[in-house]
Amino acid sequence: MAASEVAVGGIFLLQTVVGFLGNCFLFHHYLLLNFNGFRLRSRYWIVIHLSIANILILLCKGVPQTMLSFGLKDFLSDFGCKGTYYLHRVGRGVSIGSTTFLSVYQAITISPLESRCSEFKGRRQEQIGSSVYLSWILYMLISSVNLVYVRAKYIKNDTANIIDMGYCVTTADKIRDLLYVALFSVPDFLFMGFMVWASTITVLILHRHKQKMQHMSSAKVSSRSSPETKAVQTILLLVSTFVFFYTLSCIFIVCITFSSHHKWLLVNVFVLLSGCFPTVSPFLILRPESTWRRATIYYEDK
């Protein structure tokens, strides 16, 4: 086994372990609050769904890729291949949806009474909660395509049009592949559009509120960052991190598709990028938790 493969395997292993533990802690943190009698708002339940989706991504992509990098061959059965790819696609889709709903929820929460978003405040818990479950159903249905075309490497039928994906294989068909990409891309880009839109509204609302408070009491403005400012930074950081890694992943997918050289390196970088957001997102959420809670309570009481 080459030293480069061992190094890549070690990186995948570290990313998977850190991300898995971070998301498990996030999941446990909010469930513990719920069991202790703390009434969880919808935002916290969305974060729970996000942590579950991230765990699926890391386990179903990081673990097999780590085993492959360490030299293990044909370690997944046909059922294991289908299930692994299916759950990974579901987790990836729900991660996108949960991040979007988190941004939308935050925008509705802090919207002033005179804004259009304020009419959703009374119903947002039921609507946002239902939307998260609908995202699970949506991606479960879409991802069922993987159950048909993905199979174990030891199955040798129709080898002429086989695409080797490392630890599993799939059959190649240009028309079907284009439809497959469109099927996944349309809801992904819609979610990303809503995510950026909601985050932009949130930033504008918090910026206007900060300016208003400075005009009302400029003498009392503290040099420290206010909860609103920290909330803006958190929202921007979370969404920007997601968009950044998602965009890079899309670029590497295109490079892998059209490149005939260095595919081993491109595939490994793509897998590493795919696991970056699920790994870092729980730490981005937990770090400013008290600030988010103060800012959310402040605006909900307005």
Side-chain angles (χ1 to χ4, degrees), residues 153-170:
K153 296 183 71 172
Y154 60 79
I155 299 178
K156 302 298 183 181
N157 297 333
D158 301 325
T159 56
N161 295 319
I162 288 294
I163 297 177
D164 191 345
M165 297 184 295
Y167 43 90
C168 296
V169 296
T170 184

Side-chain angles (χ1 to χ4, degrees), residues 15-296:
Q15 183 188 60
T16 303
V17 171
V18 171
F20 177 77
L21 293 177
N23 283 284
C24 285
F25 179 80
L26 187 67
F27 179 79
H28 174 266
H29 172 69
Y30 287 114
L31 281 188
L32 190 62
L33 289 176
N34 184 55
F35 290 147
N36 287 336
F38 181 80
R39 183 177 177 272
L40 295 182
R41 296 183 176 87
S42 293
R43 184 179 73 81
Y44 302 123
W45 288 110
I46 296 172
V47 171
I48 289 176
H49 284 280
L50 177 61
S51 65
I52 296 173
N54 288 341
I55 289 172
L56 285 179
I57 295 173
L58 291 167
L59 290 181
C60 296
K61 195 69 172 179
V63 172
Q65 198 68 33
T66 301
M67 297 172 67
L68 182 66
S69 298
F70 282 128
L72 296 177
K73 305 290 184 181
D74 301 334
F75 52 87
L76 284 177
S77 64
D78 189 53
F79 177 79
C81 276
K82 294 180 185 295
T84 298
Y85 270 86
Y86 175 78
L87 292 176
H88 173 259
R89 296 299 308 188
V90 172
R92 181 179 176 276
V94 174
S95 179
I96 296 173
S98 299
T99 307
T100 301
F101 295 132
L102 194 60
S103 301
V104 173
Y105 180 90
Q106 192 73 13
I108 295 174
T109 299
I110 67 172
S111 60
L113 295 176
E114 63 272 13
S115 69
R116 293 182 181 180
C117 292
S118 61
E119 62 187 62
F120 296 103
K121 280 193 173 183
R123 305 190 302 271
R124 68 174 179 271
Q125 182 168 356
E126 180 180 352
Q127 291 176 341
I128 298 294
S130 300
S131 298
V132 176
Y133 288 107
L134 286 176
S135 70
W136 280 99
I137 297 174
L138 171 65
Y139 282 101
M140 283 180 178
L141 293 175
I142 294 176
S143 302
S144 60
V145 176
N146 291 294
L147 299 176
V148 178
Y149 297 108
V150 176
R151 61 175 185 259
K153 296 183 71 172
Y154 60 79
I155 299 178
K156 302 298 183 181
N157 297 333
D158 301 325
T159 56
N161 295 319
I162 288 294
I163 297 177
D164 191 345
M165 297 184 295
Y167 43 90
C168 296
V169 296
T170 184
T171 55
D173 182 272
K174 290 185 178 180
I175 297 177
R176 189 208 69 204
D177 291 343
L178 288 175
L179 293 174
Y180 179 82
V181 171
L183 186 65
F184 279 100
S185 299
V186 170
D188 286 1
F189 284 121
L190 285 176
F191 276 131
M192 284 191 65
F194 278 115
M195 186 192 309
V196 175
W197 169 77
S199 299
T200 302
I201 290 178
T202 301
V203 171
L204 291 175
I205 292 173
L206 292 175
H207 179 66
R208 290 171 184 170
H209 173 74
K210 182 181 179 181
Q211 287 184 325
K212 182 180 178 181
M213 296 301 294
Q214 287 177 340
H215 287 302
M216 291 175 59
S217 181
S218 59
K220 296 181 180 179
V221 175
S222 172
S223 60
R224 296 178 300 175
S225 297
S226 64
E228 305 94 87
T229 302
K230 292 180 179 179
V232 170
Q233 295 171 350
T234 300
I235 296 167
L236 281 175
L237 187 59
L238 187 66
V239 174
S240 298
T241 301
F242 178 86
V243 173
F244 174 75
F245 286 120
Y246 184 86
T247 303
L248 282 181
S249 297
C250 292
I251 293 173
F252 271 88
I253 289 177
V254 174
C255 293
I256 292 170
T257 303
F258 294 100
S259 175
S260 58
H261 304 286
H262 308 294
K263 278 204 171 186
W264 178 84
L265 178 61
L266 292 174
V267 169
N268 282 298
V269 173
F270 166 72
V271 175
L272 185 65
L273 289 173
S274 300
C276 283
F277 180 77
T279 300
V280 302
S281 59
F283 303 101
L284 296 179
I285 294 171
L286 284 171
R287 181 181 59 84
E289 172 58 31
S290 60
T291 298
W292 277 35
R293 190 177 301 173
R294 289 199 303 270
T296 302

